[in-house]
């Protein structure tokens, strides 16, 4: 069995702190992005490329099958640039029933995007196909395979100049977004690293079953009234999200209300394509470095028999998931529930991810002490 080892704190390096004005500017930019979020078809949408503070609305026209030749659907995206020129972009994919605002959080303290911009990489966050401001294909057209096809097209556009020209594209996912990125990396192998949050190969079956059985047609939900949501689009009933995604003892102030106000949808196609066997098979075909981040109180993936309390435990849970020679690391966010970014300790995840990304893409930044190296 491969033995995880925690990186010695003596090898840490510090990057110079950026001026406060730069951080404030990045946060202001993300606040402006938040003003774009809303139910699909509820309001006129900005045209692709329209500037929004330090970010720009940059949509993509995509196909949902490899055989398609003409783009049939539009994916809404927001490209955010740091102050300094960069060769790296983080491609952010949210989980089921969230949209891109998951990555901007409830406040500057829970904002993954501004933390990334402060460290240097650019960010491209999307509303996955079928959610938020993106187009809504028939529900059975958006299983994980179709979303991997879409993600492949976006990764290519980020790299070849259509969305900025970044030599290094790092996939960052939450929950189902992690599943999608793993499928994309397994099939197309055009991502340079993966940060997978809120995902383990083994589910806490009671927690997952409770979440899935709670979903009901989005067209019946007051949040989506008047949006003509297609058949097979589902969402969580009002007032239930906190029980699935948050630890009330450590959630950020206002997180429960915020995630009710910003909730999105899932499709029957997505739910039907989730399986532990599929995820394991895709993971074994990944050929790039992987960082796994989970909250210790994630009710969908953790319980007494499936511990998430330390990086070493996470390493042990994925020891048969990746092929030999693939660098894998892990980090935990103490007390955080499934929606890691919506908890007070979220900056632990931000720091761990950004330092690790710097390490694997440039070699100039050491691992933080809270990142456990599973193997290399």
């Amino acid at each position: 069995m491969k033995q995880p080892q925690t990186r010695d704190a003596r090898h840490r390096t510090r990057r110079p702190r950026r001026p406060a004005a730069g951080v404030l500017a990045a946060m202001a930019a993300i606040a402006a992005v938040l003003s774009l979020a809303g139910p699909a078809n509820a309001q006129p949408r900005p045209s692709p490329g329209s500037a929004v503070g330090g970010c720009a609305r940059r949509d993509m026209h995509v196909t949902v099958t490899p055989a398609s030749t003409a783009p049939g659907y539009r994916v809404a995206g927001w490209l955010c640039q740091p102050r300094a020129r960069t060769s790296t972009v983080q491609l952010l994919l949210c989980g089921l029933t969230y949209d891109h605002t998951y990555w901007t959080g409830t406040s500057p303290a829970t904002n993954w995007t501004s933390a990334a911009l402060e460290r240097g990489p650019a960010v491209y966050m999307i509303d996955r196909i079928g959610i938020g401001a993106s187009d809504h294909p028939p529900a059975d057209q958006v299983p994980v395979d179709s979303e991997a096809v879409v993600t492949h097209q976006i990764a290519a556009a980020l790299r070849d100049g259509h969305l900025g020209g970044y030599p290094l594209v790092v996939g960052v996912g939450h929950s189902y977004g992690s599943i999608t990125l793993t499928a994309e990396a397994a099939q197309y192998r055009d991502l340079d690293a993966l940060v997978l949050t809120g995902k383990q190969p083994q589910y806490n079956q009671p927690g997952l079953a409770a979440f899935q059985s709670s979903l009901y047609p989005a067209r019946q939900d007051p949040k989506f009234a008047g949006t003509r949501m297609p058949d097979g689009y589902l969402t969580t009933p009002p007032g239930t999200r906190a029980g699935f995604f948050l630890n009330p003892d450590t959630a950020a102030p206002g997180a429960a209300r915020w995630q009710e106000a910003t909730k999105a949808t899932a499709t029957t196609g997505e739910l039907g394509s989730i399986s532990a066997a599929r995820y394991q098979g895709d993971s074994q075909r990944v050929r790039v470095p992987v960082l796994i981040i989970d909250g210790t109180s994630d009710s969908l993936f953790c319980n007494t028999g499936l511990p998430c309390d330390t990086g070493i435990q996470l390493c042990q849970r994925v020891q048969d998931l990746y092929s030999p020679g693939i660098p894998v690391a892990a980090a935990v966010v103490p007390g955080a529930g499934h929606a890691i970014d919506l908890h007070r300790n979220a900056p632990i995840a931000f720091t761990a991810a950004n330092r690790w990304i710097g390490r694997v893409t440039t070699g100039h930044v050491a691992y933080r002490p809270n990142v456990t190296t599973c193997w290399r």
Side-chain angles (χ1 to χ4, degrees):
M1 185 178 73
K2 299 166 184 172
Q3 295 299 320
Q5 295 180 345
T6 303
R7 183 79 172 183
D8 195 317
R10 293 174 297 176
H11 295 286
R12 287 177 288 170
T13 61
R14 292 185 177 272
R15 296 185 65 176
R17 292 182 62 85
R18 295 181 181 272
V23 179
L24 292 174
M27 292 176 177
I30 305 308
V33 171
L34 278 171
S35 68
L36 288 177
N41 304 321
Q43 297 291 336
R45 300 168 185 154
S47 60
S50 60
V52 186
C55 301
R57 174 75 178 264
R58 298 287 301 276
D59 293 2
M60 277 280 297
H61 290 275
V62 299
T63 66
V64 293
T65 61
S68 300
T69 57
Y73 297 103
R74 182 181 52 79
V75 170
W78 290 263
L79 182 62
C80 303
Q81 301 275 10
R83 292 180 304 137
R85 188 176 183 86
T86 181
S87 61
T88 303
V89 62
Q90 295 183 20
L91 172 56
L92 309 184
L93 270 62
C94 59
L96 295 180
T97 71
Y98 287 96
D99 63 13
H100 76 280
T101 59
Y102 174 80
W103 303 107
T104 59
T106 63
S107 69
T110 58
N111 190 322
W112 181 293
T113 304
S114 65
L117 294 174
E118 182 183 357
R119 292 293 182 184
V123 167
Y124 187 62
M125 53 184 170
I126 65 170
D127 283 349
R128 287 184 295 98
I129 189 75
I131 63 172
S134 293
D135 286 343
H136 290 60
D140 61 357
Q141 292 186 17
V142 283
V144 66
D145 286 320
S146 294
E147 299 208 49
V149 171
V150 170
T151 305
H152 169 57
Q153 294 166 75
I154 293 172
L158 288 167
R159 198 183 302 276
D160 67 18
H162 286 85
L163 282 175
Y166 301 96
L168 300 172
V169 181
V170 178
V172 180
H174 173 245
S175 194
Y176 186 82
S178 295
I179 295 174
T180 299
L181 287 168
T182 300
E184 199 279 348
Q187 183 167 354
Y188 298 104
R189 300 188 179 179
D190 56 2
L191 299 172
D192 295 282
L194 293 176
V195 178
L196 307 177
T197 75
K199 182 68 184 81
Q200 279 288 320
Q202 312 91 355
Y203 294 94
N204 175 19
Q205 292 298 337
L208 179 67
F211 165 66
Q212 292 184 335
S213 65
S214 77
L215 299 173
Y216 78 128
R219 63 176 55 175
Q220 298 178 17
D221 192 276
K223 170 85 162 47
F224 303 102
T227 59
R228 299 181 180 178
M229 200 63 68
D231 290 338
Y233 278 74
L234 311 172
T235 195
T236 51
T240 63
R241 296 176 68 76
F244 299 125
F245 305 137
L246 299 179
N247 178 354
D249 295 329
T250 60
R257 294 189 302 273
W258 181 91
Q259 67 169 5
E260 289 289 342
T262 60
K263 74 177 178 181
T265 56
T267 67
T268 52
E270 291 168 329
L271 291 169
S273 64
I274 296 175
S275 76
R278 165 65 190 267
Y279 185 67
Q280 181 171 357
D282 285 339
S283 298
Q284 290 172 344
R285 296 164 60 198
V286 167
R287 294 295 181 266
V288 295
V290 177
L291 173 64
I292 299 161
I293 304 178
D294 286 303
T296 61
S297 298
D298 187 331
S299 65
L300 299 187
F301 293 100
C302 308
N303 58 33
T304 54
L306 299 171
C308 300
D309 295 329
T310 67
I312 291 176
Q313 290 176 339
L314 298 188
C315 290
Q316 292 171 339
R317 288 183 62 178
V318 301
Q319 63 184 0
D320 297 323
L321 202 61
Y322 298 97
S323 296
I326 304 304
V328 178
V332 299
V333 183
H338 183 63
I340 295 170
D341 289 15
L342 305 183
H343 290 78
R344 294 193 298 271
N345 275 351
I348 292 175
F350 305 163
T351 300
N354 285 304
R355 292 294 184 100
W356 182 85
I357 289 170
R359 170 75 180 210
V360 299
T361 57
T362 69
H364 295 317
V365 183
Y367 291 107
R368 293 286 292 179
N370 62 327
V371 173
T372 298
T373 300
C374 299
W375 57 82
R376 294 180 189 162

